[in-house]
Amino acid sequence: MKKRSFLLPLFIIFTVFFCTVSANAAFSPDFEPKAQSVLMINLDTNTTIYSKQPDAKVYPASTTKIMTYIIAAENIPDLDNTMITFTQQMADTLTGSGSSLAGLKVGDVLTAHDLLYCMMVPSGNDAAVALATYVGGGDIQKFVDMMNQKAQDLGCTNTHFMNPHGLQDENHYTTASDLAKIAQYAMKMNYFDEITNTLRYTFTIKDGPRKGTTAWVDTTNFLINQNLIGSTDYYYQYARGIKTGHTDEAGYCLVSSARAEGISYLCVMMNTQSPSTDSSGAVIHQEMLDTRQLYRWAYQNFQLKQVLSASQATMEVPLDYAWSKDHLLLSPETTVSAILPNDVDPSNVEIVPDLPQSVAAPVKRGDQVGTAKLVYNGEEIGSVNLVSSESVDRSEWVHIITLAKRIVTSRWFVLIAGILVVLIIVYIVLTLLSHQKKAAKRKVHRYRKM
């Protein structure tokens, strides 16, 4: 079969859609966020759009509560009907900490669902302690152990928790990369998006001294609420959640997402120092200003493009044991799209295939055959699986003939055959020598008789 050279350009175009592009290596905005560590990911393709020291060790402050939400929600089966009492012991753990609170009072009974709102919307450490104590069976450390185990399960390699709320501890740390993994996992959970994007939550105390009392909490996230006092120019109409955080050591932190025009992003902004204030004396939240500017840059400069269908063959590999067919067509596993800068030509992405020398029939359509490394600007930026785009049966006659040919031409066969030939020659030579020796003896014997 003649090589289909026209398939290679299509394959190169296709590879763009599996890119994980480092913004520092390829694309950069016209400004640099002031945070120590930043990671911005396109959620539709899991493409890194911008990064700045994403693996640097940082303190998470109240962004810790994203993991607290995960553990609580996964271990309380009935959030709406599980009642949790805020006790004096819980309150005592926060005494003198200067914590952000949801305003819970000793004796208040709330549903677990209410407590999730009280933890995520106003960043209530009291709600975090209540949930952790309940799930841990009265032992907060047990809950923290569950947090650390979950972090490991999610592939977080540089994260360690010491508490469920994020109050400062030298052994309580993470990275922007790890926190992005945690946030992406949480975003798939029930109620998470709804809760973290709530501006004000109103609830009723279910039991205790304040039974029947109505209370409310407001978000600390200026990015999603243009009506907050002091929100200045932080509001971004496409932003959704997720969690703010601040301690002196952690700086100002913000994990957020944005959705517009069918494209979704996640942005993790860690350890922004905001020493200046506005005319009213309010702190200028640089983490929110920079997050909003990154979102605007991304939406103005990148597009989500679909280039290649899974039904389109992109490469071929030699095929064995098939009748009148010596190459197998390969295609991507699924139809894919990529987030690409507006002015980048997809053909600039190079392909470094990793395929076997040949594939043996039978082969079923969809069987994975190989992979390919994706290279952009000299850097490996991802990989892709290649599968068979057709089913091919094995020809037994071709199989037998091919095996016989391989056996006859194999190195071991040639070696053994050579040894046999040598042995035969040696045998013949020895036989001839033996006959000559016997003939000579017969001559001597006859001569003596004479």
Side-chain angles (χ1 to χ4, degrees), residues 46-241:
N46 198 32
T47 301
T48 297
I49 299 301
Y50 177 82
S51 65
K52 175 184 177 183
Q53 298 187 69
D55 298 316
K57 177 180 174 180
V58 292
Y59 298 121
S62 283
T63 61
T64 296
K65 297 184 176 89
I66 300 173
M67 179 60 85
T68 303
Y69 182 102
I70 292 172
I71 302 303
E74 287 188 339
N75 289 277
I76 303 176
D78 189 351
L79 295 172
D80 291 320
N81 294 303
T82 298
M83 301 296 168
I84 299 176
T85 302
F86 187 68
T87 66
Q88 184 64 55
Q89 182 181 5
M90 297 176 187
D92 289 344
T93 65
L94 299 172
T95 300
S97 65
S99 292
S100 58
L101 303 171
L104 302 183
K105 304 297 182 183
V106 173
D108 285 351
V109 178
L110 283 73
T111 66
H113 202 166
D114 288 336
L115 286 172
L116 288 175
Y117 273 96
C118 288
M119 177 177 68
M120 301 303 288
V121 177
S123 199
N125 288 0
D126 43 3
V129 169
L131 288 165
T133 303
Y134 177 82
V135 173
D139 185 355
I140 292 182
Q141 184 56 52
K142 181 179 178 181
F143 185 90
V144 173
D145 291 342
M146 296 168 71
M147 295 171 67
N148 286 317
Q149 182 59 56
K150 191 68 175 184
Q152 291 183 28
D153 294 344
L154 294 178
C156 299
T157 57
N158 196 18
T159 292
H160 186 263
F161 297 110
M162 293 295 290
N163 58 63
H165 38 61
L167 287 178
Q168 180 60 26
D169 188 303
E170 289 187 0
N171 293 316
H172 188 95
Y173 55 84
T174 188
T175 66
S177 294
D178 282 357
L179 196 51
K181 294 175 184 177
I182 294 169
Q184 286 177 279
Y185 181 87
M187 291 173 74
K188 300 174 184 178
M189 300 183 67
N190 290 337
Y191 307 117
F192 185 81
D193 181 70
E194 174 188 335
I195 291 175
T196 59
N197 202 51
T198 296
L199 304 185
R200 168 171 284 188
Y201 181 65
T202 302
F203 59 98
T204 301
I205 307 299
K206 301 300 187 291
D207 205 346
R210 296 201 300 163
K211 180 179 180 180
T213 300
T214 299
W216 65 86
V217 289
D218 292 321
T219 183
T220 57
N221 189 353
F222 296 165
L223 200 67
I224 64 175
N225 190 354
Q226 60 182 330
N227 299 318
L228 284 176
I229 297 176
S231 61
T232 319
D233 296 318
Y234 305 126
Y235 176 71
Y236 185 62
Q237 61 180 328
Y238 302 124
R240 297 189 64 83

